[in-house]
Amino acid sequence: MTTTPMRIVHCVRSPIGGIFRHIRDLATSQAAAGHDVGLICDSSTGSAFDNQLLEELRPKLALGLARFPMQRQLTIKDMSATLSLYRHIRDLKADVLHGHGAKGGAYVRLIGSFLAMRGQKIARVYCPHGGSLHYDPNRLEGRVYHALERLMGRLTDGLVFVSDYEASAYESKIGLPRAKSRIVYNGLLPEEFAPVEVPDNAADFLYIGMLRDLKGPDLFIEALYNIRLKNGEAPKAHIVGEGPEEDRYRNMVTRLGLERAVTFHGALPAREAFKLAKTVVIPSRAEAMPYIILETVAAERPLIATRVGGIPEIFGRYAHRLVDPGHIGKLTTAMEAAIEDPAKMTKEAGELRGCLAETFSVDLMNDRITTLYQDIKGILPADGAVPVTTDSASAASRAQAVYARSSNR
């Protein structure tokens, strides 16, 4: 099916981690399909590794790569940032503004609404990627962010949720979407489904992800310490990633006497990092639909992960293998079991890989998001076919769909 070319601008505050992986794959696919694509992101975020990925993407962006200062929290500087972004976006004459994360979503919906008032026909699309949905609705910060999300919902034409869990969280914390909405799983490239072989002298465990408490590296370190207390020696482990709390985790390793057991790395490509250890551990406290879980499963690497966000949707009927989030005792036990029976971990990794390629595909992700744009704008594909649409369903209906998929995997 051919598509009518569109001018699409993506906006995200922080061009790192899974959220940027999603945008990078989506922008690449959209450009390959003949659309003009642009990207706007923060100018102060990102390591040399992240910036290299941005530069590799730049040649594919017909509408350019623009970077402006963007703050993580709500500040008075957001006003000047919005004005700078408006001046840039105004001249791009975009058909679609697609915001990713809370900040990116706020910028494009405010700016898109103002441009619409001035007569520009523009689709305002938002993908939370967890973001403000991670906040507790019973705490002040959560109430503030969720109230803002409800307000911004009036300025939204399309919502993309990366998991059934995220869609249900939006309904529970924000309310029923006013806009057209669609659940679109993150996707992998075909070559990522090749197994990764690990040398016999590899370490026992690998943590890979952002270095912040939300992702649980402190729990990973504490579990290593617990094993040392029990066995007299800590397992060998690698920590791959970067983040705002890296110094604290390094100090924690030193304080617990784990310097000889734990090696820190910066950011690395996932498939390169997988070769460092026999078992991957992702002890997140909250997630939406984490790419690192998909990448680990597709590479057929043994995995210990927590029961949060969309991770049970990936595990399907094997979701009982997941560990309760924040439960250091159960995480420690799971890691001890991995050391004691590596053959079982390898067998389970093969079982889990299953039909992943059918559900978590970059091509499917791109198709479902692009046809959502077309539906919002009333555009038929160039060959005249009518795009299939999936508007918001209730949380209960989605839960039934998840269970049905799980029972068939």
Side-chain angles (χ1 to χ4, degrees), residues 223-242:
L224 295 172
Y225 176 68
N226 287 345
I227 295 173
R228 194 194 75 177
L229 288 179
K230 181 176 179 180
N231 300 337
E233 183 177 359
K236 299 296 182 183
H238 293 277
I239 294 178
V240 171
E242 299 170 337

Side-chain angles (χ1 to χ4, degrees), residues 64 67 97 181 183 289 306 327 359:
R67 305 191 72 174
L97 294 180
S181 65
I183 298 167
M289 176 58 72
T306 46
H327 198 299
T359 307

Side-chain angles (χ1 to χ4, degrees), residues 70-273:
M70 302 181 192
Q71 304 297 311
R72 181 180 180 85
Q73 302 297 333
L74 289 171
T75 73
I76 192 67
K77 293 181 179 179
D78 290 333
M79 296 179 66
S80 60
T82 302
L83 181 59
S84 297
L85 266 64
Y86 166 74
R87 289 169 176 162
H88 176 73
I89 291 172
R90 174 191 60 193
D91 298 331
L92 295 178
K93 305 299 181 185
D95 297 304
V96 178
L97 294 180
H98 190 156
H100 302 263
K103 266 295 172 68
Y107 285 136
V108 303
R109 288 181 287 177
L110 288 170
I111 293 168
S113 298
F114 188 73
L115 290 172
M117 290 170 58
R118 301 191 66 180
Q120 185 172 341
K121 294 181 179 179
I122 194 164
R124 302 158 297 178
V125 179
Y126 171 48
C127 182
H129 294 280
S132 58
L133 300 182
H134 288 322
Y135 287 103
D136 186 340
N138 298 313
R139 304 186 65 170
L140 177 60
E141 194 172 31
R143 289 197 293 269
V144 170
Y145 278 105
H146 296 160
L148 290 173
E149 286 284 6
R150 280 188 283 274
L151 179 64
M152 297 301 294
R154 299 173 180 271
L155 310 178
T156 307
D157 300 306
L159 282 162
V160 176
F161 299 112
V162 297
S163 66
D164 299 80
Y165 166 83
E166 185 176 70
S168 297
Y170 187 94
E171 286 189 11
S172 173
K173 297 179 179 181
I174 313 302
L176 286 171
R178 294 169 172 264
K180 294 179 183 293
S181 65
R182 186 168 290 189
I183 298 167
V184 183
Y185 287 146
N186 290 331
L188 299 181
L189 298 167
E191 57 267 29
E192 293 180 274
F193 289 89
V196 171
E197 299 296 329
V198 171
D200 293 337
N201 64 349
D204 297 294
F205 297 111
L206 165 69
Y207 167 87
I208 178 170
M210 286 190 68
L211 300 185
R212 53 184 298 214
D213 278 355
L214 190 73
K215 303 297 184 180
D218 56 317
L219 300 174
F220 178 68
I221 295 168
E222 188 173 345
L224 295 172
Y225 176 68
N226 287 345
I227 295 173
R228 194 194 75 177
L229 288 179
K230 181 176 179 180
N231 300 337
E233 183 177 359
K236 299 296 182 183
H238 293 277
I239 294 178
V240 171
E242 299 170 337
E245 298 173 85
E246 179 175 346
D247 288 344
R248 185 161 66 83
Y249 301 136
R250 287 181 177 272
N251 291 335
M252 183 178 180
V253 166
T254 301
R255 176 169 50 83
L256 296 177
L258 298 173
E259 305 101 309
R260 296 179 61 185
V262 178
T263 302
F264 281 84
H265 303 260
L268 293 172
R271 291 177 68 84
E272 182 179 331

Side-chain angles (χ1 to χ4, degrees), residues 284-303:
S284 300
R285 292 180 168 93
E287 289 287 358
M289 176 58 72
Y291 268 100
I292 191 57
I293 298 290
L294 293 174
E295 291 168 315
T296 305
V297 174
E300 209 168 311
R301 297 309 311 146
L303 171 65

